[in-house]
């Protein structure tokens, strides 16, 4: 039998330390914030918007455990909230109308999806 050296403190022998990618961390953060925005009554959102935020937040938390799934979550945010943002902006009747809270929430989620989708996976060393 081969003799193994002493294990480092805090690690089990043969266990690899898992590293989360930037997309995974962002998916966790954005998913958590989606739930917080829906649950905490900071923004007066409608019931449909609250449900959408909770669902996309839970999906983000579930998909953040693998890098490819986190990227997929970013693409889904970009497509779903981008569509809602464009539809909301196109439905305005005035030329330079101030954005509503729903438009700001859609824009924030669209931007988060864009960042999650295109952020580099890890830093270079």
């Amino acid at each position: 039998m081969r003799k193994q050296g002493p294990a480092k403190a805090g690690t089990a022998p043969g266990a690899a330390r898992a590293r989360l990618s930037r997309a995974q961390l962002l998916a966790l953060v954005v998913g958590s914030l989606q739930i917080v925005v829906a649950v905490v009554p900071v923004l007066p959102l409608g019931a449909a918007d609250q449900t959408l935020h909770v669902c996309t937040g839970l999906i983000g938390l579930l998909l953040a455990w693998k890098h490819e799934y986190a990227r997929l979550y970013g693409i889904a945010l970009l497509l779903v909230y981008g569509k809602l943002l464009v539809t909301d902006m196109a439905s305005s009747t005035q030329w330079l109308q101030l954005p509503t809270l729903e438009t700001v929430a859609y824009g924030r989620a669209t931007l988060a999806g864009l960042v999650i989708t295109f952020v580099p996976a890890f830093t270079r060393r």
Side-chain angles (χ1 to χ4, degrees), residues 11-111:
T11 61
R17 184 175 165 218
R19 245 180 100 187
L20 295 177
S21 69
R22 291 178 182 172
Q24 289 174 288
L25 289 174
L26 286 171
L28 282 172
V29 169
V30 170
S32 300
L33 287 177
Q34 290 286 92
I35 294 171
V36 168
V37 165
V39 173
V40 177
V42 176
L43 298 174
L45 298 173
D49 285 327
Q50 286 179 338
T51 305
L52 180 65
H53 283 291
V54 167
C55 289
T56 55
L58 289 174
I59 291 169
L61 293 178
L62 290 174
L63 293 180
W65 300 111
K66 191 169 181 183
H67 175 72
E68 293 82 14
Y69 297 155
R71 294 282 179 157
L72 183 66
Y73 175 65
I75 292 170
L77 280 179
L78 184 61
L79 293 176
V80 170
Y81 282 101
K83 169 73 168 116
L84 290 172
L85 178 67
V86 169
T87 303
D88 197 40
M89 290 175 69
S91 69
S92 66
T93 58
Q94 298 177 0
W95 183 63
L96 284 176
Q97 182 178 357
L98 290 175
T100 62
L101 291 176
E102 291 173 348
T103 307
V104 172
Y106 296 157
R108 178 194 50 80
T110 303
L111 183 62

